[in-house]
Amino acid sequence: MAHYRIALLPGDGIGVEVIGEAVRVLAAVGGRFDHSFEYSEDLVGGASIDAHGVALREETLEMCRAQDAVLFGAVGGPKWDDPAATVRPEQAILGLRKGLGLFANIRPVKMLPFLVDSTPLKRETVEAIDMVVLRELTGGIYFGEPQRRWEEGGQRHAVDTLAYSEEEVERIVRLGFETARGRRGLLTSVDKANILDTSRMWREITEEIASDYPDVTLEHRLVDACAMDLIRHPAWFDVIVTENMFGDILTDEASMLAGSMGMLPSASLGAAGSVGMYEPIHGTAPDIAGQGIANPAAMILSAALMLRYSLNLEAEAAVVEAAVSEVFAAGNLPADLAAAGSEPLGTEVLGELIAERVARG
Ligand code: IPM
Ligand code: MG
């Protein structure tokens, strides 16, 4: 029996509800494939601020470093929303990315047939959507120094810094080429090279790396035009690679194309050998938290990505993904997807159905 150690960081809001369903489904995976999963759980985000005064403790980071992978729910909520606060729930996620060296955020966006009518776009536009967005995660304007506010001449001033090194660009762009090579062979690099020096450097480095990948077609798009093309012809895209903040914005946009944020998982990976982190792309959904109606799919599918990327269990990952698709396609739908007038299923019931499907094989 193979044994895996997983850090469980539920966070706040619906993060707490959906992560339990990922654990339930992993138990079914363990039963069917003879693996055991051992969990070390800790508070992060608002829950950690309430208990310890900080969003992420050093000892939590240390605990995560000693595991095979990290499952993360979501952090934040109205209680901790004061923009002037120096301690904020989001610091947990940024601290984990930086502290674990997770420079690549992988967000697959694929149209699931039963969701074709839940998107705001026309059926023929969305039907063939199948892309992966690779977002750089530990550089750019999120982390650049200086970042501060000050007062001068009776005015408030603030500065953020967008900085990248060659190494930071190269490792994510290479991953982009590798990913495209394993798929349809089209890499779209997104920047703002008409304005930003970081983008001009990004483009230059990407062009240089392209010569190592003659089998991949490289195209460059400016981020504003790319935002438009994602709506106009989303099925064009295969692999998109971009810097931190452009990726933050484009991945939210891309998630709407596929019908629901509640369906989309993500993986955050570092250099070979480092601990990966897996989380749904949705947030804590304070409006529905505590009601047991959140869609657990994105969290369960994030656990599937963990099986694939961190634990090297491809068959197990595929079984979980197929189970989610089958359960949903059979009309068992959570509140965010159920048609008006039909009775939606709750978080736990859906988790149980998916776990049963996994166990049955
Ligand atoms: C995301 C989120 C985070 C980000 C926040 C919560 C810090 O929006 O993962 O996309 O901006 O990266
Ligand atoms: Mg975001």
Side-chain angles (χ1 to χ4, degrees):
M1 176 183 284
H3 183 71
Y4 301 99
R5 293 156 51 95
I6 314 293
L8 211 57
L9 307 176
D12 308 311
I14 64 166
V16 181
E17 298 165 47
V18 295
I19 213 164
E21 302 315 311
V23 169
R24 191 196 300 277
V25 170
L26 286 172
V29 169
R32 175 161 165 203
F33 292 91
D34 201 24
H35 306 310
S36 69
F37 298 98
E38 176 190 337
Y39 298 97
S40 301
E41 188 168 338
D42 209 348
L43 301 175
V44 288
S48 174
I49 293 176
D50 288 351
H52 307 295
V54 289
L56 175 70
R57 291 180 303 157
E58 190 54 43
E59 60 193 274
T60 309
L61 205 47
E62 276 308 313
M63 180 276 280
C64 290
R65 287 193 183 109
Q67 313 296 312
D68 295 311
V70 179
L71 280 181
F72 184 95
V75 292
K79 186 176 173 193
W80 309 280
D81 247 359
D82 177 5
T86 52
V87 175
R88 293 187 306 277
E90 293 74 21
Q91 288 162 343
I93 194 162
L94 298 184
L96 281 158
R97 287 173 184 169
K98 202 69 176 175
L100 299 175
L102 306 173
F103 66 85
N105 188 223
I106 301 177
R107 297 187 176 184
V109 180
K110 192 173 157 82
M111 191 73 228
L112 298 170
F114 58 91
L115 285 178
V116 165
D117 295 315
S118 327
T119 95
L121 300 179
K122 289 203 252 5
R123 169 181 274 270
E124 55 273 26
T125 311
V126 298
E127 249 164 3
I129 292 177
D130 182 2
M131 72 179 100
V132 174
V133 185
L134 275 183
R135 166 188 174 194
E136 201 289 326
L137 214 48
T138 51
I141 203 162
Y142 274 57
F143 295 99
E145 294 289 345
Q147 177 183 53
R148 65 188 180 95
R149 298 179 51 154
W150 73 99
E151 287 199 19
E152 203 177 300
Q155 293 270 309
R156 280 168 289 187
H157 296 257
V159 63
D160 293 290
T161 303
L162 170 42
Y164 269 106
S165 69
E166 179 168 351
E167 184 196 1
E168 286 173 320
V169 175
E170 179 166 354
R171 63 188 180 181
I172 185 81
V173 168
R174 276 201 186 275
L175 188 59
F177 278 105
E178 294 289 338
T179 308
R181 172 173 272 181
R183 295 173 45 97
R184 300 202 305 278
L186 172 64
L187 180 65
T188 305
S189 172
V190 178
D191 61 36
K192 188 73 183 168
N194 51 347
I195 304 290
L196 301 174
D197 264 321
T198 43
S199 283
R200 285 189 276 269
M201 180 183 79
W202 178 288
R203 207 176 263 220
E204 201 174 283
I205 293 170
T206 304
E207 281 295 333
E208 287 161 15
I209 296 172
S211 56
D212 294 342
Y213 297 89
D215 50 326
V216 173
T217 304
L218 169 67
E219 59 172 23
H220 302 281
R221 280 176 203 245
L222 297 173
V223 62
D224 48 351
C226 184
M228 187 174 69
D229 292 333
L230 272 171
I231 302 289
R232 192 160 56 181
H233 46 69
W236 168 264
F237 295 98
D238 180 15
V239 179
I240 292 178
V241 65
T242 191
E243 67 92 47
N244 202 343
M245 189 163 70
F246 297 160
D248 179 42
I249 298 167
L250 292 181
T251 48
D252 267 24
E253 185 189 4
S255 73
M256 275 315 288
L257 299 171
S260 167
M261 256 201 162
M263 296 304 298
L264 295 182
S266 86
S268 299
L269 305 178
S274 56
V275 179
M277 182 164 90
Y278 301 84
E279 60 181 305
I281 84 154
H282 61 68
T284 55
D287 52 326
I288 60 160
Q291 297 176 33
I293 59 169
N295 181 354
M299 187 77 239
I300 293 170
L301 293 170
S302 297
L305 293 184
M306 174 187 83
L307 294 169
R308 171 171 299 127
Y309 292 125
S310 281
L311 310 185
N312 245 315
L313 301 174
E314 173 58 36
E316 288 82 339
V319 162
V320 172
E321 288 164 349
V324 172
S325 285
E326 278 178 37
V327 166
F328 278 54
N332 306 294
L333 296 172
D336 56 326
L337 297 175
S342 66
E343 192 56 40
L345 298 183
T347 312
E348 283 188 21
V349 174
L350 282 164
E352 279 162 11
L353 286 172
I354 294 164
E356 269 166 31
R357 188 74 199 78
V358 167
R360 211 170 53 235

